Amino acid sequence: MTIYPFLLLFLLWVCLPHFCSPEIMFRRTPVPQQRILSSRVPRSDGRILHRQKRGWMWNQFFLLEEYTGSDYQYVGKLHSDQDKGDGSLKYILSGDGAGTLFIIDEKTGDIHATRRIDREEKAFYTLRAQAINRRTLRPVEPESEFVIKIHDINDNEPTFPEEIYTASVPEMSVVGTSVVQVTATDADDPSYGNSARVIYSILQGQPYFSVEPETGIIRTALPNMNRENREQYQVVIQAKDMGGQMGGLSGTTTVNITLTDVNDNPPRFPQNTIHLRVLESSPVGTAIGSVKATDADTGKNAEVEYRIIDGDGTDMFDIVTEKDTQEGIITVKKPLDFESRRLYTLKVEAENTHVDPRFYYLGPFKDTTIVKISIEDVDEPPVFSRSSYLFEVHEDIEVGTIIGTVMARDPDSISSPIRFSLDRHTDLDRIFNIHSGNGSLYTSKPLDRELSQWHNLTVIAAEINNPKETTRVAVFVRILDVNDNAPQFAVFYDTFVCENARPGQLIQTISAVDKDDPLGGQKFFFSLAAVNPNFTVQDNEDNTARILTRKNGFNRHEISTYLLPVVISDNDYPIQSSTGTLTIRVCACDSQGNMQSCSAEALLLPAGLSTGALIAILLCIIILLVVLFAALKRQRKKEPLILSKEDIRDNIVSYNDEGGGEEDTQAFDIGTLRNPAAIEEKKLRRDIIPETLFIPRRTPTAPDNTDVRDFINERLKEHDLDPTAPPYDSLATYAYEGNDSIAESLSSLESGTTEGDQNYDYLREWGPRFNKLAEMYGGGESDKDS
């Protein structure tokens, strides 16, 4: 810290003895009355005046902070007027820091500070002083309070709360525009001297910015600062105390200032003319390219709106603004045709959407460019003359008749011949066909409107030079009606006439239907094929007719059924008619005309058959059904359970022929001949359900030396006499092994029970099949010896 001359003078003044020494005088004066210390002062008139003084000289000491001496710093002196100097009084100090920071000489009353004091930690200390009699310990003066105030020195530099400030100001701002205010604080005493008086100055950032010395407000100092030229500035501000005078302490801070954007730049196209290409086959909505006007501004100030303002392609193309990229996307608005037009010209304008009126003087905030779009030729598919075709044809035309023609052309500049074909998925019955060269549709089968009134066909047109280029068109064929169906009864009529019927009685109302559909609607006429003495037909002229009786009474025992032919004719050309026959039964009716019984009942129930006879016949039928059911059930029990040819079991073979006799060795497996001693009890048959359970019988075993032929004959006889055995030879079990082998047993399992060594050298004589055994057992020691 620099010691300046005025500070040295101040310290010298403090250290030198003054006329008014810092001491407190005690007097025995009652409170609040104070004793007056008198001194004789001569007056001008010769009389002596008495000066009065109080028991306390003052109640406040001043102490300089940050004392750097080696001895205790002298604060002041407490003195009572009762002090005779003989050491009978004792001074006591209490309060803030008494005894630690501040000590007092109890004899003289001198007060010292024991260490360096920082005013910024504590600006003043409040203490209490008292003088007591050292011998009696009684106070000779009332306890008094005083303050030690710490005098400030300039030992703290100004500080900013932030090391780095961030601020912004719009570009192109006028000179003096406020940017930001910075404020520094000084811990020194602002009420004492200039230690805390701060003055601001700019160390870095001229000539663009300035700072107000007293307030710290940073302002613009240069006009028309352009963000596009420079956006970031770094300004260093200094705060200096002592009013900025020499010897003051200082602190600095950095302010990063950003120029924010304003719309002071219009959009500009980088090119006056832009060329684009598009295929003529591009569908509507296809993006063919983009244009972009550059704008030096940012954010919303750089937002641009594109539009087509002129040109010969305004109705063929459109432009939309892409907000993210700020591009103008040109799209196809209508279908293109290379053969019709090959080049379009557009005039595109780009204009800022947010314009600042302050910068109108910089010019219009929009720009234009010319866009030329070239249409490129592609091999297009054929084009039909219509979007769809409708042909009408009568159903009675002859096979091969042309019903209509479809037309198509190749739209390319170099025309290619067209070939026509039918999509057979739309004509599965192959009723129609088409001439591949001229597109004429003709019939290949007879038509019938009553089967199908509409035919929806698809015709395919393909270029001969490029068959992949195809076009489809819908062809609707409507079949027109021709009166080629005769009318018929609408339903089947179950007609009866009562035996007691009278002439002219209505027994049935009939109607007709016709598959044809004439334009004027259906009209039917009813008549009898021949004059009938029993019945007549009366046409109601509403496509219905009534059947009436012509005689009085009918007898069902004489004639039970009448057949009445009725002729039904239509009214179209050519007239079609048919004859329908009504079957009229003669029935017995009550007096109200309700049917009770008809001729069919008379045949089933002859006269004289009583109800009891009917019940007896019914019971007989039921009994016969029960017997038949039982017989069928029994027959099913004897049927073999195994009927499938794929059932694989030993000795169970299903034959469809008789077989070949004894020499037929394929009927059974000869391997089933086992040792007769191994024969078990007779097993029950598994291929049929036995009716009764026979007690299994055990057949005597044949001796070991019995001939195989005798054994088989014996078993055949046994099974022939068995009533439960089916006629299947393969079901017989022949358990016969045969004679022993001359080689006896070759197993070594019993070798342990034999006494002595065994010689297996003879195995070498049995041939190559026994070489391995001969190597293992022949010519070596036995297992027992090893």
Side-chain angles (χ1 to χ4, degrees), residues 427-727:
D427 185 27
L428 297 177
D429 296 331
R430 294 183 175 269
I431 299 175
F432 300 93
N433 212 335
I434 190 171
H435 290 288
S436 61
N438 57 19
S440 297
L441 276 170
Y442 60 92
T443 59
S444 58
K445 290 184 179 180
L447 303 178
D448 189 354
R449 189 200 67 88
E450 285 69 39
L451 294 179
S452 179
Q453 186 177 357
W454 286 93
H455 295 273
N456 300 327
L457 308 177
T458 299
V459 175
I460 304 173
E463 295 181 11
I464 294 179
N465 297 335
N466 187 8
K468 294 182 179 180
E469 295 295 335
T470 61
T471 306
R472 294 169 174 261
V473 69
V475 178
F476 305 102
V477 181
R478 180 182 180 184
I479 309 302
L480 301 179
D481 185 39
V482 174
N483 191 23
D484 56 350
N485 292 278
Q488 298 177 351
F489 283 131
V491 295
F492 173 76
Y493 294 103
D494 185 12
T495 307
F496 71 92
V497 62
C498 295
E499 289 182 306
N500 56 358
R502 297 179 179 274
Q505 186 172 342
L506 175 64
I507 62 173
Q508 184 70 60
T509 300
I510 60 175
S511 61
V513 293
D514 195 336
K515 294 181 180 179
D516 297 321
D517 187 16
L519 297 177
Q522 298 286 2
K523 179 63 176 176
F524 302 123
F525 301 96
F526 301 90
S527 62
L528 293 179
V531 177
N532 190 293
N534 301 312
F535 304 97
T536 184
V537 174
Q538 183 178 353
D539 197 332
N540 296 327
E541 297 183 358
D542 59 356
N543 292 339
T544 62
R546 297 185 297 171
I547 308 299
L548 305 176
T549 58
R550 296 188 63 182
K551 70 174 185 176
N552 188 8
F554 294 86
N555 189 344
R556 58 177 172 154
H557 298 295
E558 295 178 358
I559 300 177
S560 60
T561 303
Y562 292 91
L563 299 178
L564 181 64
V566 179
V567 178
I568 309 173
S569 303
D570 57 21
N571 194 33
D572 204 358
Y573 179 83
I575 295 176
Q576 301 287 341
S577 63
S578 66
T579 301
T581 302
L582 284 177
T583 301
I584 304 174
R585 296 180 299 159
V586 180
C587 300
C589 303
D590 57 13
S591 58
Q592 302 297 327
N594 297 320
M595 181 182 63
Q596 292 182 339
S597 61
C598 294
S599 57
E601 181 183 2
L603 294 176
L604 293 176
L605 302 176
L609 189 60
S610 63
T611 304
L614 292 176
I615 294 175
I617 293 173
L618 183 59
L619 289 176
C620 291
I621 293 173
I622 293 175
I623 293 173
L624 290 175
L625 291 176
V626 172
V627 172
L628 180 60
F629 177 80
L632 292 176
K633 185 175 182 182
R634 180 172 182 179
Q635 182 67 23
R636 283 198 301 268
K637 288 183 178 180
K638 293 185 178 182
E639 291 178 359
L641 297 177
I642 302 173
L643 299 177
S644 174
K645 296 181 181 180
E646 298 178 356
D647 191 13
I648 302 173
R649 300 180 185 175
D650 290 342
N651 305 322
I652 299 177
V653 180
S654 179
Y655 287 95
N656 290 329
D657 54 2
E658 182 179 352
E662 292 183 357
E663 295 181 358
D664 187 0
T665 60
Q666 300 300 323
F668 60 92
D669 187 3
I670 197 67
T672 58
L673 301 178
R674 301 192 301 274
N675 193 332
I679 297 178
E680 299 177 356
E681 294 182 355
K682 180 175 178 62
K683 300 294 181 68
L684 294 178
R685 296 285 299 277
R686 293 180 298 172
D687 61 332
I688 65 172
I689 301 175
E691 296 181 357
T692 58
L693 295 177
F694 293 92
I695 299 175
R697 49 197 179 123
R698 189 179 184 87
T699 59
T701 60
D704 294 341
N705 57 358
T706 303
D707 186 72
V708 175
R709 184 187 301 274
D710 296 338
F711 174 77
I712 293 177
N713 291 333
E714 182 181 350
R715 288 306 170 97
L716 286 175
K717 183 185 298 183
E718 176 186 343
H719 286 285
D720 288 341
L721 298 177
D722 187 358
T724 63

Side-chain angles (χ1 to χ4, degrees), residues 159-233:
T159 59
F160 291 93
E162 301 288 342
E163 293 183 3
I164 297 178
Y165 288 85
T166 301
S168 62
V169 63
E171 63 173 332
M172 308 297 290
S173 297
V174 298
V175 175
T177 301
S178 175
V179 180
V180 67
Q181 183 178 13
V182 295
T183 303
T185 58
D186 196 319
D188 294 327
D189 188 1
S191 62
Y192 182 77
N194 292 327
S195 298
R197 184 187 174 196
V198 178
I199 297 298
Y200 300 94
S201 62
I202 184 167
L203 301 182
Q204 177 183 325
Q206 300 95 343
Y208 306 103
F209 299 94
S210 63
V211 64
E212 292 183 357
E214 299 293 337
T215 61
I217 298 176
I218 301 174
R219 300 182 181 275
T220 58
L222 195 67
N224 298 327
M225 286 192 294
N226 196 342
R227 183 197 65 84
E228 287 72 34
N229 296 333
R230 182 177 177 182
E231 185 176 3
Q232 300 289 337
Y233 295 87

Side-chain angles (χ1 to χ4, degrees), residues 120-191:
E120 283 71 39
E121 293 181 0
K122 194 174 180 65
F124 62 89
Y125 296 85
T126 302
L127 296 97
R128 293 181 298 277
Q130 191 176 30
I132 62 174
N133 189 290
R134 185 182 296 275
R135 183 172 56 83
T136 62
L137 301 180
R138 292 182 177 179
V140 297
E141 291 284 352
E143 186 179 52
S144 300
E145 185 178 81
F146 66 95
V147 175
I148 299 178
K149 187 174 181 180
I150 310 302
H151 266 304
D152 182 51
I153 64 173
N154 190 19
D155 60 343
N156 292 279
E157 70 274 6
T159 59
F160 291 93
E162 301 288 342
E163 293 183 3
I164 297 178
Y165 288 85
T166 301
S168 62
V169 63
E171 63 173 332
M172 308 297 290
S173 297
V174 298
V175 175
T177 301
S178 175
V179 180
V180 67
Q181 183 178 13
V182 295
T183 303
T185 58
D186 196 319
D188 294 327
D189 188 1
S191 62

